[in-house]
Amino acid sequence: MGYFTLAGGLLWSLHLLSHLRTTVASQGCVGKEPVIDPTFLVVKYGNPATANCSVQYNATTIGWEATEGAKTENDLQQLVWSVPSVTEWALGRGVMCFTSSDLYGQCETDLPITIYQIPENMTLSLLDHTGPLFEGQEYLLECVVQSVAPAKNLTVIWFRGDTELERSGFSQFSIVGDLSEDVTVRTKLNLTASREDHGASYHCAAKLDLNTAEFIPETSASIQLEVHYGPRMVSASHNVTVMEGEMLVLNCVAEANPSPTYQWTHNNHNLENENNTTLRFESIERENEGVYRCTARNSRGEGSVEIRVDVMRNHLPLIAISVAIAIAVLLAVGLYGYCVYQKKNKTGQYLLTKIKHGTSNSGQVAQANGHSDSV
């Protein structure tokens, strides 16, 4: 028991001495640390990487400590680290340039490296649901981003058409894989289906924000929704007053999915064979007056509209008959008056003629008698 305690104490003493030596060395390196250009690297997985380490003095030893591309040289002021293809995710923990000299001891500078991977594939789907959506019900859209890195720099953006809905970050992700490598990311969006969603395109876009001037393309996946919803009237005839005998067309149109069927009623009585958006009367009659209801139905419900039709009696035929009778009466009266007038005029002329003829004959007789007396 004492042996192990003594051994532990010796190991602790050696560790403490090493720490003190490193601390003293690092204090001697202030202002003399190796300078790395660039100061950090953002590298796409599979692409080459390179950096240069330099000092202002001849280092006894200068080198790179890395899981790939490690090297050491003597009596140099600079040394380049490079790898033809970054395929070691461990490089994401960074690499280090170190120098040693009699004057400054051992000095070190770290080179942070961010290795990124553009998603190999993205999918968007309805979670635990197949077939059309129903208006008013809630659903989950799931966006899956496969083989992406680093997940902490990923943002998933949700769109409906060209309109951004919201953004999901690291705290909303469900991650499969080692975060130090490429992983699969899943995230969800709550959706309450509406008729406006019918035919709408939803998509999710994956964006890597790496705080670099390098352009990192977005990738996305989309899905087009089918939503079933009940009828809603979008146009219909208004209440109307028509003259008896006129033509009348009533109409109603409903918006619905699936397409609705139509039923017309007149004063609460079904009209047969009227599965149509229009109801037509070539010559409307008084018995057609009343309340018409147009009802549209589908599997999601129904919608209806009422139209009041008032039919006015057409008095034109009666007026025409009355006018005709009046005209006939006037013609008869006029004809009768004319006949009477003509009769009176013809009778007076006849009597006068007779009187004239009678006077002439009497004169002739008188003259004859006078002549006889004188003889």
Side-chain angles (χ1 to χ4, degrees):
M1 185 69 176
Y3 171 77
F4 288 109
T5 302
L6 179 60
L10 289 173
L11 289 173
W12 172 252
S13 299
L14 290 173
H15 174 75
L16 182 60
L17 289 173
S18 175
H19 176 72
L20 290 173
R21 184 168 61 251
T22 301
T23 302
V24 171
S26 62
Q27 289 176 349
C29 289
V30 175
K32 303 298 180 180
E33 302 91 341
V35 176
I36 299 177
D37 184 28
T39 56
F40 67 93
L41 281 177
V42 177
V43 185
K44 183 180 179 182
Y45 185 83
N47 282 3
T50 184
N52 182 58
C53 179
S54 62
V55 289
Q56 298 298 319
Y57 53 89
N58 284 329
T60 304
T61 303
I62 184 170
W64 285 93
E65 184 178 307
T67 57
E68 186 179 4
K71 61 173 66 175
T72 302
E73 298 290 344
N74 298 323
D75 298 324
L76 293 176
Q77 289 188 349
Q78 63 179 3
L79 184 64
V80 174
W81 171 80
S82 66
V83 291
S85 177
V86 175
T87 56
E88 292 284 341
W89 288 103
L91 287 175
R93 292 193 290 269
V95 299
M96 182 182 66
C97 176
F98 63 90
T99 60
S100 62
S101 65
D102 295 336
L103 185 60
Y104 302 113
Q106 182 167 325
C107 301
E108 305 169 352
T109 301
D110 292 324
L111 172 64
I113 300 177
T114 298
I115 304 172
Y116 71 89
Q117 173 70 23
I118 296 174
E120 290 183 354
N121 188 36
M122 287 186 66
T123 58
L124 178 61
S125 61
L126 283 164
L127 194 63
D128 301 326
H129 182 81
T130 58
L133 284 64
F134 299 129
E135 183 180 27
Q137 295 190 14
E138 293 187 355
Y139 300 90
L140 281 176
L141 288 174
E142 183 180 54
C143 184
V144 180
V145 187
Q146 297 176 343
S147 189
V148 62
K152 291 182 178 180
N153 297 79
L154 175 68
T155 300
V156 173
I157 309 172
W158 296 91
F159 291 90
R160 181 183 184 273
D162 296 327
T163 303
E164 181 179 328
L165 299 176
E166 63 178 71
R167 298 189 173 206
S168 300
F170 185 73
S171 61
Q172 287 88 42
F173 295 161
S174 173
I175 297 174
V176 178
D178 186 346
L179 280 174
S180 64
E181 302 179 4
D182 60 322
V183 295
T184 294
V185 171
R186 296 175 179 270
T187 186
K188 300 176 181 65
L189 175 71
N190 289 313
L191 170 67
T192 301
S194 67
R195 64 185 62 219
E196 287 75 19
D197 288 321
H198 179 61
S201 176
Y202 278 75
H203 71 275
C204 58
K207 180 179 180 181
L208 283 171
D209 185 6
L210 300 173
N211 193 27
T212 175
E214 181 180 359
F215 175 71
I216 310 297
E218 293 183 7
T219 55
S220 64
S222 63
I223 185 174
Q224 191 171 33
L225 301 183
E226 179 185 2
V227 180
H228 283 188
Y229 52 92
R232 180 176 64 187
M233 292 297 172
V234 293
S235 68
S237 298
H238 299 290
N239 293 341
V240 63
T241 299
V242 293
M243 191 72 69
E244 186 178 16
E246 290 185 350
M247 185 181 73
L248 177 64
V249 177
L250 302 178
N251 71 83
C252 71
V253 178
E255 179 189 62
N257 187 47
S259 297
T261 59
Y262 292 87
Q263 174 66 58
W264 287 88
T265 64
H266 176 220
N267 294 335
N268 296 322
H269 297 291
N270 288 341
L271 300 178
E272 295 182 0
N273 302 321
E274 291 297 342
N275 181 20
N276 205 323
T277 59
T278 61
L279 187 61
R280 186 181 184 92
F281 301 89
E282 294 296 338
S283 178
I284 198 161
E285 304 296 336
R286 292 276 293 178
E287 58 265 24
N288 300 133
E289 188 174 70
V291 176
Y292 289 83
R293 177 185 289 271
C294 173
T295 302
R297 295 184 178 89
N298 69 0
S299 59
R300 299 303 303 162
E302 65 178 47
S304 64
V305 62
E306 286 189 351
I307 307 167
R308 174 78 189 184
V309 175
D310 292 312
V311 180
M312 294 178 60
R313 184 177 297 279
N314 192 347
H315 296 289
L316 287 178
L318 294 177
I319 294 173
I321 293 172
S322 299
V323 170
I325 293 173
I327 292 172
V329 170
L330 289 174
L331 288 173
V333 171
L335 183 59
Y336 174 77
Y338 177 77
C339 292
V340 171
Y341 173 77
Q342 288 292 94
K343 185 176 181 181
K344 286 182 178 180
N345 287 342
K346 286 182 179 181
T347 302
Q349 184 178 6
Y350 173 74
L351 291 174
L352 181 61
T353 301
K354 288 186 69 177
I355 291 171
K356 286 181 179 181
H357 287 169
T359 304
S360 176
N361 291 336
S362 299
Q364 289 178 0
V365 171
Q367 290 177 0
N369 291 334
H371 176 74
S372 178
D373 292 338
S374 64
V375 173

